Amino acid sequence: MNNIFKKFPFTITLNGGFSGSWFASGAKSSGYSPVDGRVLPEVTVNTSDDLGRIVTQCHETFPVWRKVPAPARGQIVREYGEEIRKYKEPLAQIITMEMGKPMRESLGEVQEVIDICDFAVGLSRQIGGPSLPSERKSHRMFEQWHPLGTIGVISAFNFPMAVWAWNMAIGMICGNTVLWKPSSKTPICAIVLTRIMEEILRKNNLPTAICSLVTGSGAAIGNMISSDERISMVSYTGSTNIGRQLGKIVQERFGKLILELGGNNASIVTSNADIDIALRSIYFGALGTAGQRCTSTRRVIIHEKIYDQLLSKLTDTYRKVKIGDPFESKNFLGPLVDRSAVKAMQNALVQVRKEGGKILYGGEKLSEKGGCYITPAIVVVSGNLPVVKEETFAPILYVMKFRELDEAISIHNDVPQGLSSSIITNNICESERFISECGSDCGIANVNTTTNGAEIGGAFGGEKATGGGRESGSDSWKGYMRRQTCTINYSGTIELAQGIQLDF
Ligand code: NAD
């Protein structure tokens, strides 16, 4: 890792907290790379007292940042995106080293950071509201949007750079200061990205606490962020159970909230599908990031006419998948993030057997390759068994059969989560039904493509136990601002709405 750090033109100290300066008074913590088990550089993490100081700095910086015009804020984000372009390769290497994603996908993740910066720059000249007709003479009514304050971004390990970047780029152009609490599994990604932002802000004579960072225990630090009234909005990306607890704490104090929680995504493959497209979509959907994307394909619901054919091709393809070092381009499947993820996958497979599912392929731990490599599993089930309704963050693909499309849609929607979905068909009636109000109940519904791999231009997020939040493109920026409706009377007299008369 130290060799990767040398590719940046500044020193990187692994003190995990930043708010104008780098500091951390907690314990030293070192993780293991899932790639080869090597010990990663030690990071000194923050304590609760540190967090208090960081929130104060970030909060006190808000009045300065909100006065910078939005297009000028966009220029800072533009400069940041340009800097990230220069370091795409070493940044991707840090992702792969810290959490094990194959390099091709890590490069894609850094590209996502660049893309959202570009998007936010354009947006910085567009965050306005409509002008609306007033019912009163010589009155003008319009909506406008103001920054919220400090936003707390708590992110998951699986997109250790992109998720923060979505929140940072949109949050910053909206005039907020941003406090990031990354996953305890990926503090180094966070330190390096924050260090790059520090340089940009310093160069522009702006307070560097605009983008602050805190690392440390998810439970302790995360809880404090949720309950601190100085944090106007919490954007939480992570598992549904923690999101549920955190959501209550934030709502209790009327804080704003964006929840991006777990998924349980399915592809329906109809008898009118192009089998090759189905195969490729499921392959990347289920195996990309070793099944550790919130949008990973976890269930595939296949029409009975093509069931045997597709399942046999899928199993053949799984047999051939190259598993190993994610830095080597020949390998498609890297390791899971850590040993506990391997254990969770094995536990789910034990459970699925108990519930009557049949493991058709895979699910083995590849001990000779190190602790975190596994073979991806294909499991045949008769429907949404209890274990299928839970999100296991690993490459387990549950396969089911259907006869009528309505039946497939009903199986599809019969899980607590509602993030992403897809249908593979060349029949326009089937695809239209799937994306209609009677079809998929997810925040993302695709046709003839994967459930994962969303572009930054669309709003990203899901319904039900996925939390209902939206991030990234489209009008998601509205979640990062407060709306104000203004009425201006230039009539020279007073006229009340709804025709109410003033009798004096
Ligand atoms: P996780 O829930 O274990 O951790 C997420 C974050 O929460 C981390 O930063 C962690 O330190 C922090 N945390 C832990 N306890 C906390 C607490 N009590 N209060 C506040 N914060 C706390 O999730 P993970 O294993 O890092 O990531 C995988 C999960 O994230 C999956 O469920 C996946 O579907 C979900 N995810 C969702 C999206 C989405 O956009 N919907 C995107 C990525 C990941």
Side-chain angles (χ1 to χ4, degrees):
M1 190 72 97
N2 288 331
N3 285 340
I4 306 178
F5 288 165
K6 286 190 187 132
K7 297 183 183 168
F8 299 94
F10 40 70
T11 50
I12 294 169
T13 51
L14 295 176
N15 285 325
F18 179 76
S19 198
S21 62
W22 289 90
F23 62 95
S25 28
K28 283 188 187 304
S29 138
S30 57
Y32 295 89
S33 171
V35 175
D36 51 11
R38 90 175 57 161
V39 181
L40 293 169
E42 263 182 357
V43 173
T44 310
V45 298
N46 293 113
T47 58
S48 316
D49 286 350
D50 290 350
L51 176 63
R53 178 174 154 195
I54 292 169
V55 176
T56 300
Q57 291 265 17
C58 199
H59 178 68
E60 287 179 354
T61 304
F62 171 62
V64 179
W65 182 235
R66 72 177 161 191
K67 280 202 199 144
V68 175
R73 299 194 293 249
Q75 287 308 303
I76 302 299
V77 172
R78 181 180 64 76
E79 283 183 35
Y80 187 71
E82 281 171 5
E83 211 58 14
I84 298 295
R85 276 181 173 87
K86 289 188 205 157
Y87 304 116
K88 189 169 173 182
E89 184 87 20
L91 288 171
Q93 287 168 339
I94 294 172
I95 297 177
T96 296
M97 185 57 86
E98 205 170 23
M99 58 70 72
K101 185 181 286 198
M103 263 305 274
R104 73 170 73 76
E105 292 186 50
S106 296
L107 286 164
E109 176 162 358
V110 182
Q111 185 59 45
E112 216 171 317
V113 178
I114 296 166
D115 292 344
I116 196 70
C117 288
D118 288 352
F119 180 89
V121 178
L123 197 62
S124 69
R125 292 182 183 270
Q126 296 175 54
I127 44 174
S131 225
L132 301 151
S134 168
E135 66 190 47
R136 289 169 279 180
K137 263 187 257 152
S138 300
H139 281 63
R140 184 164 74 84
M141 187 162 67
F142 60 95
E143 284 180 3
Q144 59 179 359
W145 294 84
H146 291 309
L148 285 175
T150 293
I151 59 168
V153 179
I154 302 179
S155 60
F157 80 84
N158 65 329
F159 278 94
M161 293 193 176
V163 165
W164 167 77
W166 291 359
N167 285 281
M168 172 280 293
I170 306 294
M172 272 182 76
I173 65 105
C174 290
N176 303 301
T177 53
V178 182
L179 167 60
W180 184 11
K181 209 298 286 159
S183 164
S184 318
K185 295 175 187 174
T186 54
I188 298 175
C189 287
I191 289 172
V192 176
L193 284 191
T194 305
R195 183 74 183 85
I196 296 173
M197 181 59 89
E198 178 194 0
E199 290 289 316
I200 301 286
L201 291 168
R202 211 179 287 289
K203 211 174 75 195
N204 284 280
N205 295 317
L206 283 162
T208 50
I210 289 168
C211 254
S212 298
L213 175 71
V214 62
T215 55
S217 143
I221 301 279
N223 258 314
M224 283 181 70
I225 289 177
S226 317
S227 39
D228 194 319
E229 301 222 334
R230 292 170 299 172
I231 299 177
S232 309
M233 191 270 272
V234 178
S235 173
Y236 176 81
T237 302
S239 52
T240 292
N241 282 342
I242 295 176
R244 186 176 281 120
Q245 298 164 25
L246 173 142
K248 284 184 198 151
I249 300 172
V250 177
Q251 276 170 349
E252 179 73 29
R253 62 176 177 88
F254 300 111
K256 287 194 176 241
L257 196 56
I258 295 179
L259 291 177
E260 296 285 354
L261 312 178
N264 194 344
N265 320 292
S267 284
I268 295 177
V269 187
T270 80
S271 55
N272 297 302
D274 177 320
I275 296 290
D276 190 51
I277 287 186
L279 199 58
R280 286 166 187 270
S281 300
I282 298 163
Y283 185 77
F284 186 71
L287 302 184
T289 322
Q292 299 169 113
R293 289 191 182 208
C294 49
T295 49
S296 291
T297 308
R298 311 217 170 276
R299 298 173 296 140
V300 55
I301 307 161
I302 309 174
H303 192 272
E304 61 181 12
K305 269 198 205 151
I306 54 160
Y307 180 88
D308 290 340
Q309 182 196 6
L310 180 56
L311 194 52
S312 134
K313 283 189 185 230
L314 200 55
T315 315
D316 279 354
T317 318
Y318 264 54
R319 280 203 181 92
K320 289 182 203 140
V321 66
K322 295 254 186 308
I323 303 169
D325 186 337
F327 281 102
E328 287 183 24
S329 59
K330 70 174 193 325
N331 293 325
F332 187 77
L333 196 74
L336 294 184
V337 66
D338 56 20
R339 284 165 197 260
S340 68
V342 175
K343 189 87 197 124
M345 176 170 176
Q346 291 183 319
N347 289 345
L349 291 173
V350 169
Q351 186 59 27
V352 82
R353 265 198 217 98
K354 277 194 202 152
E355 291 179 17
K358 183 177 162 215
I359 299 170
L360 200 63
Y361 177 78
E364 287 110 30
K365 195 167 147 185
L366 297 174
S367 304
E368 76 284 0
K369 288 186 193 280
C372 303
Y373 292 85
I374 40 76
T375 51
I378 299 178
V379 181
V380 173
V381 288
S382 56
N384 294 315
L385 304 171
V387 66
V388 176
K389 291 194 178 194
E390 282 167 30
E391 179 197 45
T392 302
F393 221 50
I396 302 177
L397 184 66
Y398 298 111
V399 184
M400 305 163 208
K401 199 187 277 187
F402 77 94
R403 183 173 292 170
E404 301 295 335
L405 186 56
D406 282 347
E407 177 199 355
I409 291 173
S410 152
I411 297 171
H412 176 278
N413 290 346
D414 181 30
V415 291
Q417 310 83 352
L419 180 51
S420 186
S421 59
S422 84
I423 189 166
I424 314 292
T425 178
N426 282 333
N427 179 315
I428 192 167
C429 297
E430 289 179 337
S431 66
E432 288 292 330
R433 252 165 85 196
F434 181 71
I435 60 170
S436 78
E437 70 283 4
C438 304
S440 161
D441 62 2
C442 292
I444 299 169
N446 297 333
V447 176
N448 286 332
T449 189
T450 53
T451 58
N452 58 3
E455 298 178 26
I456 57 99
F460 182 92
E463 303 301 326
K464 305 195 291 183
T466 305
R470 290 296 184 279
E471 284 178 357
S472 196
S474 186
D475 65 351
S476 305
W477 60 270
K478 291 178 178 169
Y480 297 78
M481 301 199 87
R482 63 186 169 86
R483 186 195 303 242
Q484 190 167 63
T485 303
C486 305
T487 306
I488 299 175
N489 170 14
Y490 59 96
S491 68
T493 182
I494 278 280
E495 184 186 348
L496 301 180
Q498 293 88 43
I500 296 172
Q501 298 298 317
L502 265 185
D503 292 335
F504 69 91

